[in-house]
Amino acid sequence: MSIYQHFRPEEKDFIDQAVNWIDQVKNSYAPKLSDFLDPRQQEILSSLLGNDSDAKLQFYGGSDFVERKRVLIYPDYYSPEPSDFNISLYDISYPKKFVTLEHRQILGTLMSLGVKREKFGDIIVTEEQIQFIAAEEMDLYLVGNLEKIGSASVTIKRLPIENIIELKENWEEQVTTVSSLRLDSVLSSVLNISRQKTQLLITSGKVKVNFKQTDNVSEECREGDTLSIRGFGRCKLASIDGKTKKDKWRISLGRQK
């Protein structure tokens, strides 16, 4: 039985990479540190490793509440320390009185420096402060190159990881029915807007399934899927609870406010 059948086709490359990491640790009997993984990748890696006694894993991204984390896969003799994860926390100083910076702008600027997304963890934006997490090996490059976000001049300062802003997640449980498990149908019901509008959101690149952008309106949603909709927040499909008498699917989900 193929391991791929439990996952989406587009996840095959990551599965191959993850299996390779696990094999590497078992063969070399030494720990392996990954770049930052999104929650779906963390889930895949955990399920691939299962209860394997020859290798273990630990995730860390700076704090419990962050989404993006590096993983350390290690042999059973090893005891991981937070310092093994090589993570840096930065504070961004900018002219707050005159400028408002958004998550999307900050991420866009970091990407425009020519650095892979996998080298960055979470970006934390509050009214008072902006922080971001990056792989420690990027320190010199970031300090030397990150000088502007949009038209605003910025400076970055490295802080101890204990200074990370703690955000509280606010999820609201919701039960609804949908005519089908197609992405456009599920989003139409969850967001309470027409199917035509959800199709437009999807085809214009504003929707992600499990942190990957999709333009496929008919993609089938599965239990555990995280759906991110720009401008509308995020929801996670907790369970698909069978069909109603009217032949609709009953689904339970968490909606992030």
Side-chain angles (χ1 to χ4, degrees):
M1 187 170 69
S2 166
I3 55 169
Y4 302 119
Q5 71 182 47
H6 302 292
F7 304 99
R8 294 179 180 275
E10 64 271 18
E11 292 170 337
K12 181 181 183 299
D13 287 349
F14 178 73
I15 292 164
D16 291 343
Q17 185 179 38
V19 168
N20 188 36
W21 290 341
I22 294 166
D23 290 343
Q24 204 177 316
V25 170
K26 288 181 178 180
N27 295 332
S28 67
Y29 214 53
K32 160 75 183 168
L33 180 64
S34 77
D35 284 333
F36 287 91
L37 307 181
D38 65 41
R40 175 61 181 163
Q41 291 170 324
Q42 295 166 36
E43 210 175 89
I44 292 171
L45 188 49
S46 297
S47 67
L48 289 172
L49 191 61
N51 297 318
D52 197 314
S53 57
D54 294 329
K56 298 179 178 181
L57 54 74
Q58 197 168 306
F59 298 104
Y60 184 62
S63 179
D64 288 342
F65 81 89
V66 299
E67 288 191 337
R68 297 177 64 80
K69 297 175 182 177
R70 297 187 91 165
V71 64
L72 191 73
I73 308 170
Y74 56 95
D76 55 6
Y77 74 87
Y78 196 83
S79 298
E81 300 286 336
S83 57
D84 291 335
F85 290 85
N86 298 347
I87 283 170
S88 298
L89 173 68
Y90 295 94
D91 185 80
I92 300 179
S93 297
Y94 63 101
K96 296 182 180 68
K97 284 185 180 177
F98 311 105
V99 179
T100 302
L101 296 180
E102 294 180 353
H103 186 286
R104 202 168 49 192
Q105 283 174 292
I106 300 156
L107 179 59
T109 301
L110 292 174
M111 297 294 89
S112 72
L113 296 175
V115 183
K116 293 190 305 181
R117 177 66 179 108
E118 291 80 10
K119 292 294 178 187
F120 297 106
D122 280 25
I123 298 167
I124 305 156
V125 181
T126 70
E127 286 180 12
E128 301 300 318
Q129 214 175 345
I130 296 175
Q131 295 180 342
F132 70 92
I133 296 162
E136 210 172 66
E137 58 266 27
M138 303 309 302
D139 281 358
L140 286 174
Y141 186 78
L142 290 171
V143 171
N145 289 278
L146 185 56
E147 295 170 342
K148 269 185 175 297
I149 297 177
S151 57
S153 293
V154 302
T155 55
I156 62 170
K157 179 185 173 187
R158 190 171 168 187
L159 299 175
I161 200 71
E162 298 75 38
N163 291 30
I164 192 169
I165 302 165
E166 294 285 343
L167 293 181
K168 296 273 188 292
E169 282 198 328
N170 187 11
W171 291 86
E172 196 178 85
E173 287 184 26
Q174 192 176 330
V175 177
T176 188
T177 56
V178 291
S179 55
S180 94
L181 295 173
R182 280 172 48 127
L183 181 59
D184 58 351
S185 176
V186 170
L187 288 185
S188 173
S189 182
V190 171
L191 303 178
N192 201 19
I193 58 177
S194 72
R195 202 151 165 175
Q196 204 172 2
K197 282 183 180 169
T198 60
Q199 287 174 349
L200 193 59
L201 285 171
I202 296 163
T203 53
S204 60
K206 292 180 179 172
V207 174
K208 291 181 179 178
V209 176
N210 296 326
F211 308 93
K212 302 283 185 293
Q213 192 177 307
T214 182
D215 57 7
N216 182 3
V217 297
S218 60
E219 183 166 342
E220 187 166 310
C221 295
R222 306 180 183 189
E223 278 190 357
D225 280 353
T226 297
L227 312 178
S228 314
I229 312 97
R230 198 186 303 162
F232 291 89
R234 184 181 291 173
C235 63
K236 181 158 183 168
L237 192 52
S239 61
I240 298 168
D241 306 319
K243 287 198 164 185
T244 66
K245 287 177 182 173
K246 293 184 177 176
D247 208 35
K248 286 191 166 191
W249 290 98
R250 185 183 286 108
I251 59 173
S252 304
L253 49 96
R255 182 97 185 266
Q256 198 173 32
K257 291 305 199 186

